[in-house]
Amino acid sequence: MGSIREASDTVSDSLVSDVATYDGKQYDMVKEGLATILNPRPSSSNINTEGKKPTTTPQQTVFYNPIQQFNRDLSVLAIKIFGDDLTSIRRARQEKSSQELKVKAAAGKKRKREEECCGDQLPRLVDNEPSETVNGKLNQYTASETSHSHSNREESLPLTRERVSHPLQSIETKKSAPGTGLSHPNSDIETASGAGISQSLSDHASIPQVFKPFSTDSNHEMKPILRSFRVLDALSATGLRALRYAKEIPYVTLVTANDMSASATDSIKFNVQHNQLSGKIHTITGNALAHMYTIGAAAYGAYEAMPDGTRGRYHVIDLDPYGTAAPFLDAAVQALADNGLLCVTCTDSAVFASVGYLEKTYAQYGGLPSKGPQSHEAGLRLILHAIATSAARYGMAIEPLLSLSIDFYARVFVRVRRSAAEAKFLAGKTMLVYNCDHGCGAWNTQFLANNKAEKNKNGDDIYKYIPAQAPTASPHCEHCGFKTHLCGPMWGGHLHNPFFIQRILDELPFLSKETYGTLPRIEGMLSIALEESLSDSPQEEITKNSEKVQTEQEEIGRLDPSRPDKYPFFIIPSVLAKVLHCVAPSDAALRSALINLGYRVRRSHTKPGTIRTDAPWTVIWEVMREWVRQKAPVKDGAIKPGTAGWAIMRKERSRASITDLKEQLQSIMEKTDDLATAKVEIEAALFKSSRPFEKSTEQAATGRGPLDITEGDRKSLKVVFDEKLGKNKDRKKLVRYQLNPKPNWGPMTKAKGGS
């Protein structure tokens, strides 16, 4: 299909590397990433009584699905990049505080008692190069590193892009911290009292309960203090995610692995011990909701410190349930620290991406699903809508960093900010969709409000929130006349942050393919996600953001939080051709026609063969009518009266032109008695009917096609099909869309472990 390459990942039974025996029980040793789990071998066979042949299916006591290795690989990388960003922000804040401290010290002023930090502390990492002196003395973070050789400095965990090697590339060869099997970013850091920091739980008891960016002595010298980075794996099952996060993400100081099943937590403890991570993973047997609500409520008052000696909300919460994550969203946003990362998986695609259970969809996600090829993207927007509304109740706003429809499930990575001002933008980024799902497949969007920016007296932006005028569409489709159905409300903002995606793509060349077995698919899918945006010049924005990184030391830029996504969803040429009962145009042919008219075209990651465009449906159907006229005439009788295709083809250019001209001439003759005047008006009507479409001054300057098309403009569009122009220039062959690598590729059977 054009230059799109489809392939499968190497997630198979080869993951099982060996068999181990403990206390007379046999376990499959499954290695994924840098972690290894011991999965109990099935002890019985289930006989399929309905079929002719008996089949053996593993009956899992603890749920493990190798199919989601792509999910776990991507999650590790996303959290790693997220940690890079927060660490850079904290570094900039610390340096700013250091400068203020030196100014006050030089002025002879006493520094006020340091303010307590909020819950978003992060570990302070060792720089790639020796830092400058602080108050005339060498920074303690790198003092120990100056005596190391260049090769020893490669073992540190650099933050800068000009690094010798990536921290995840050769992590197995790094110097290991006691009892963990891997190096820790703070292994060379000392506390303010001078005591060394160990990774064991017993040593964490000496960590101060109130964390500060840094402490000072009488000489105003900065002293580094261990910063926390806490992750909650709320529905842990085997604990594989928790193991990988603890082993592969250098910032992590504590991972809480929770599961309500006692057999699951026993398996987690067993695997934690096997991987020598007892000092970094804390196991809880309990209800995930109760735990998250406890953490969220305790943050407002006194509470006990966590096992790593820290206190506060989690910086990352991962929700990966068997089914929907909707019941956990309210508790999760409350247990998440400011600027924290919420990772959500929903495997109930039959609910959020289908109209078969629309009553259940509304009950869980607060909106109605969409029918048609765009159902999975609509499902992503319903999930984001559920997260956004849960957060907005508590004065929080979300920023989707990455939202993907993968195989049979959806996976979203959302940053949650405690900002009442940004939460006010939610109504302007929430939309209803009028979908012609039984006719031609066209849709119209209706946002609930408008976020209007104005300037105040000081020249600063202020926003007014205006109710939207409704409705934007009639009960019947303007193109085919069929009834439209309502979808939503759903998230109407952007699905991704292109700067975040670009940062992940920048890291991929440094990673080991043996550790991350799904790297080819990660690169392919993220490349499409990066190209999906129809915002103005996303690549230029990324370039500008790179310059901003160098000046402000921030890794990830932001899109305007007040602006919605004006061009959601996509079209598929074969689906359009099915309506008209004609031969389907190739992707390149349809893309070229839209490009020639001045519209932008992209691909969607949700389905192969998709086209995202800012062209209105009036133009899309006009292009398809011209395709039928120029390239693929329809056989007589193929389109039956009363169908959507029949109504669309009745607006064919020559038929419509003659009918309109006849009506205009008749109107002129009825209204005009003077023969000379009638002659002038008839000549004007004839000239206008034959006049080619002209763009406005703004459209001519930008090269864009018109967004509002009149009937006269539609008939004057010059449609040209040039496959060479529309062909994707795929210089690098990427695995963009995966085929099922083996039979029964899906969510698998739910575990039947003990309570």
Side-chain angles (χ1 to χ4, degrees):
M1 187 174 298
S3 61
I4 298 178
R5 181 172 174 230
E6 300 181 349
S8 61
D9 288 333
T10 58
V11 182
S12 63
D13 296 335
S14 61
L15 291 173
V16 180
S17 58
D18 204 350
V19 178
T21 303
Y22 287 91
D23 297 331
K25 297 182 179 180
Q26 288 188 330
Y27 299 86
D28 289 328
M29 297 180 63
V30 182
K31 182 175 178 58
E32 184 179 298
L34 299 181
T36 302
I37 64 169
L38 302 178
N39 204 25
R41 306 203 85 186
S43 57
S44 61
S45 300
N46 295 333
I47 305 299
N48 183 6
T49 58
E50 297 180 358
K52 296 181 179 180
K53 296 181 180 180
T55 58
T56 301
T57 58
Q59 184 64 61
Q60 299 187 93
T61 57
V62 178
F63 185 75
Y64 165 69
N65 191 352
I67 296 169
Q68 291 201 23
Q69 183 184 0
F70 174 81
N71 185 329
R72 292 184 285 267
D73 286 350
L74 181 61
S75 298
V76 171
L77 298 179
I79 296 174
K80 169 64 176 60
I81 298 304
F82 171 78
D84 282 347
D85 179 55
L86 287 187
T87 302
S88 299
I89 294 174
R90 302 296 292 183
R91 180 190 298 275
R93 292 177 181 175
Q94 179 171 333
E95 291 176 354
K96 182 179 179 181
S97 299
S98 175
Q99 293 296 327
E100 293 176 354
L101 176 62
K102 288 192 292 185
V103 171
K104 291 183 178 181
K109 297 181 180 179
K110 293 183 178 180
R111 180 173 173 79
K112 296 182 179 179
R113 182 178 180 179
E114 295 171 332
E115 297 178 354
E116 292 185 1
C117 288
C118 58
D120 58 346
Q121 298 93 0
L122 288 173
R124 185 67 162 88
L125 302 185
V126 181
D127 288 330
N128 193 28
E129 300 294 340
S131 66
E132 300 292 334
T133 58
V134 179
N135 294 331
K137 298 184 179 181
L138 186 63
N139 190 339
Q140 188 175 349
Y141 287 111
T142 55
S144 61
E145 195 176 354
T146 55
S147 60
H148 293 180
S149 63
H150 178 76
S151 60
N152 287 338
R153 284 209 306 270
E154 293 180 2
E155 297 178 0
S156 66
L157 294 170
L159 284 178
T160 56
R161 295 194 180 186
E162 296 76 24
R163 51 181 173 270
V164 178
S165 62
H166 192 274
L168 300 183
Q169 184 180 16
S170 57
I171 194 170
E172 294 179 296
T173 63
K174 295 177 184 177
K175 190 179 297 181
S176 301
T180 63
L182 74 159
S183 60
H184 189 271
N186 299 286
S187 56
D188 295 332
I189 301 178
E190 296 183 356
T191 59
S193 60
I197 294 176
S198 173
Q199 283 305 108
S200 64
L201 282 176
S202 58
D203 293 335
H204 278 303
S206 62
I207 299 176
Q209 292 185 346
V210 178
F211 288 86
K212 308 174 179 62
F214 52 85
S215 63
T216 57
D217 56 15
S218 57
N219 297 325
H220 302 285
E221 179 184 3
M222 285 202 313
K223 295 286 187 178
I225 295 179
L226 177 64
R227 314 297 294 279
S228 65
F229 188 78
R230 298 181 295 274
V231 180
L232 172 62
D233 186 8
L235 307 158
S236 198
T238 61
L240 180 55
R241 286 179 184 272
L243 294 170
R244 293 196 61 181
Y245 293 163
K247 276 216 167 192
E248 300 173 31
I249 302 175
Y251 309 119
V252 171
T253 59
L254 173 70
V255 179
T256 300
N258 175 83
D259 203 285
M260 192 159 38
S261 170
S263 60
T265 52
D266 289 342
S267 176
I268 295 171
K269 294 176 182 178
F270 190 37
N271 288 319
V272 168
Q273 183 180 3
H274 178 76
N275 285 269
Q276 300 180 359
L277 289 172
S278 300
K280 294 185 72 174
I281 298 180
H282 176 53
T283 307
I284 299 176
T285 305
N287 188 295
L289 289 173
H291 177 71
M292 289 188 289
Y293 276 127
T294 300
I295 294 296
Y300 293 100
Y303 54 93
E304 296 181 359
M306 291 187 177
D308 66 341
T310 65
R311 57 178 60 194
R313 299 181 176 93
Y314 289 102
H315 306 95
V316 178
I317 294 180
D318 194 326
L319 301 176
D320 185 23
Y322 190 94
T324 178
F328 304 97
L329 298 179
D330 184 83
V333 295
Q334 295 187 62
L336 198 63
D338 186 21
N339 288 308
L341 180 67
L342 182 60
C343 313
V344 178
T345 299
C346 292
T347 61
D348 59 330
S349 57
V351 176
F352 65 73
S354 169
V355 296
Y357 307 93
L358 62 85
E359 73 285 353
K360 190 173 183 179
T361 309
Y362 185 83
Q364 291 183 344
Y365 299 103
L368 297 176
S370 175
K371 183 179 180 180
Q374 71 276 11
S375 61
H376 283 79
E377 180 179 331
L380 284 174
R381 295 184 179 276
L382 286 173
I383 296 171
L384 291 173
H385 170 71
I387 300 173
T389 51
S390 297
R393 295 187 186 100
Y394 306 101
M396 306 179 201
I398 72 167
E399 178 194 1
L401 300 179
L402 182 62
S403 308
L404 298 176
S405 174
I406 309 166
D407 300 330
F408 56 88
Y409 62 92
R411 180 67 165 171
V412 298
F413 299 88
V414 178
R415 189 198 292 266
V416 180
R417 289 185 169 87
R418 297 183 180 276
S419 172
E422 290 190 18
K424 296 177 181 179
F425 295 139
L426 180 57
K429 294 192 294 185
T430 301
M431 67 180 182
L432 298 171
V433 180
Y434 301 98
N435 187 23
C436 183
D437 47 11
H438 290 290
C440 65
W443 64 79
N444 282 295
T445 59
Q446 168 71 67
F447 287 91
L448 302 186
N450 295 322
N451 300 322
K452 186 177 180 180
E454 295 182 354
K455 297 290 185 180
N456 60 11
K457 295 180 179 179
N458 298 327
D460 300 326
D461 286 335
I462 58 173
Y463 287 91
K464 291 186 177 181
Y465 310 99
I466 305 171
Q469 184 177 356
T472 56
S474 64
H476 293 81
C477 176
E478 62 176 302
H479 308 288
C480 67
F482 276 59
K483 292 181 180 179
T484 58
H485 293 93
L486 193 64
C487 312
M490 63 181 66
W491 174 258
H494 294 282
L495 294 177
H496 319 292
N497 182 329
F499 313 120
F500 180 78
I501 298 175
Q502 187 64 53
R503 283 286 293 114
I504 298 179
L505 291 173
D506 291 342
E507 298 294 327
L508 298 186
F510 300 98
L511 302 179
S512 169
K513 293 183 178 180
E514 295 181 358
T515 303
Y516 301 93
T518 60
L519 278 184
R521 190 185 180 194
I522 290 177
E523 183 180 9
M525 181 167 280
L526 293 189
S527 297
I528 298 182
L530 181 64
E531 299 168 1
E532 273 188 343
S533 175
L534 286 168
S535 58
D536 294 336
S537 305
Q539 294 298 331
E540 294 180 7
E541 293 293 335
I542 291 176
T543 303
K544 294 177 182 178
N545 182 67
S546 300
E547 299 174 356
K548 179 181 178 181
V549 168
Q550 298 176 1
T551 58
E552 300 185 12
Q553 301 184 11
E554 292 185 5
E555 290 286 330
I556 303 173
R558 293 189 63 189
L559 299 176
D560 187 347
S562 67
R563 296 181 61 183
D565 184 359
K566 296 181 180 179
Y567 313 108
F569 308 133
F570 51 81
I571 59 175
I572 300 179
S574 59
V575 175
L576 300 178
K578 185 178 180 180
V579 175
L580 301 182
H581 297 273
C582 68
V583 177
S586 65
D587 293 354
L590 188 55
R591 289 166 61 93
S592 67
L594 295 174
I595 293 173
N596 274 321
L597 292 174
Y599 299 101
R600 294 169 292 174
V601 292
R602 303 283 190 272
R603 283 184 289 206
S604 172
H605 77 278
T606 58
K607 289 180 181 292
T610 54
I611 299 177
R612 296 178 68 93
T613 180
D614 55 354
W617 273 101
T618 303
V619 172
I620 293 172
W621 282 125
E622 180 63 23
V623 170
M624 288 302 299
R625 280 189 288 266
E626 282 298 291
W627 168 258
V628 171
R629 187 180 68 84
Q630 298 181 26
K631 304 289 185 178
V634 180
K635 296 181 180 179
D636 293 338
I639 305 178
K640 297 181 180 179
T643 63
W646 182 80
I648 290 174
M649 290 306 297
R650 278 184 60 84
K651 298 181 180 180
E652 194 268 334
R653 187 173 298 189
S654 58
R655 181 193 301 270
S657 299
I658 295 174
T659 302
D660 291 347
L661 182 59
K662 181 180 178 180
E663 292 177 353
Q664 291 181 29
L665 294 178
Q666 185 177 359
S667 176
I668 292 172
M669 296 303 296
E670 291 177 353
K671 295 180 180 180
T672 307
D673 296 331
D674 182 46
L675 183 61
T677 304
K679 180 179 178 182
V680 172
E681 292 186 3
I682 290 173
E683 290 177 350
L686 293 173
F687 174 77
K688 186 177 181 181
S689 64
S690 61
R691 181 185 177 189
F693 172 74
E694 294 182 0
K695 296 181 180 181
S696 65
T697 305
E698 181 181 357
Q699 294 164 359
T702 60
R704 300 278 177 83
L707 299 180
D708 297 323
I709 295 290
T710 64
E711 188 66 16
D713 295 339
R714 176 186 68 79
K715 294 178 295 186
S716 303
L717 292 176
K718 184 178 181 181
V719 181
V720 178
F721 298 96
D722 182 2
E723 293 197 12
K724 186 176 180 180
L725 174 64
K727 188 176 181 181
N728 285 305
K729 298 177 176 59
D730 192 5
R731 299 178 181 177
K732 185 177 182 181
K733 299 298 180 181
L734 299 175
V735 182
R736 290 186 168 89
Y737 302 99
Q738 171 176 294
L739 292 175
N740 292 345
K742 64 179 183 180
N744 304 320
W745 181 257
M748 299 180 62
T749 306
K750 192 174 184 179
K752 302 295 182 181
S755 59

